[in-house]
Amino acid sequence: MRLQSLLALAATSALLLPLGAHAGKLPGGYLEACVANAQQVNKAMTTDQATKHCDCAGKAIEKNFSDDEIADLDSKDGIDARTMQRAETLVKRVCPPETQKK
């Protein structure tokens, strides 16, 4: 998978996740929305691969971000760039997409 696709997938995952410094909680419907977006970004990704990636990303975000940070990532009125970068870096490091592991 190209780096651009990986970054888009990480950004998509991060945008849909609520983040908190002391273990936040993801919004309802996160997994379904993440899987759908992951497959839009990477057409080669199966539903099973997208589900595993999104589940991993969700757990990592919940563990490392606060509720306020997670809410910021899910915001419709702008996202803090540093919070987004932290989320992208974390998801990329902890949860590489299955299609990349060949």
Side-chain angles (χ1 to χ4, degrees):
M1 179 163 50
R2 295 187 332 240
L3 178 59
Q4 182 180 10
S5 297
L6 177 60
L7 292 176
L9 180 58
T12 300
S13 296
L15 283 172
L16 297 172
L17 300 174
L19 303 177
H22 302 290
K25 184 167 174 22
L26 295 172
Y30 156 76
L31 187 61
E32 295 81 9
C34 180
V35 169
N37 283 314
Q39 289 184 295
Q40 282 183 331
V41 171
N42 181 358
K43 304 286 187 210
M45 186 174 273
T46 67
T47 300
D48 186 54
Q49 290 170 328
T51 300
K52 286 178 184 175
H53 175 75
C54 290
D55 185 56
C56 176
K59 287 176 182 173
I61 296 293
E62 283 185 327
K63 181 178 178 182
N64 291 283
F65 289 83
S66 69
D67 283 333
D68 287 344
E69 289 171 312
I70 290 172
D72 184 49
L73 287 175
D74 197 34
S75 174
K76 305 288 187 257
D77 62 355
I79 299 166
D80 179 68
R82 286 186 295 180
T83 302
M84 175 60 106
Q85 181 62 44
R86 271 184 55 219
E88 289 176 353
T89 301
L90 175 69
V91 171
K92 182 179 176 183
R93 179 175 43 87
V94 177
C95 312
E98 291 292 319
T99 56
Q100 184 178 334
K101 298 178 183 177
K102 290 190 176 185

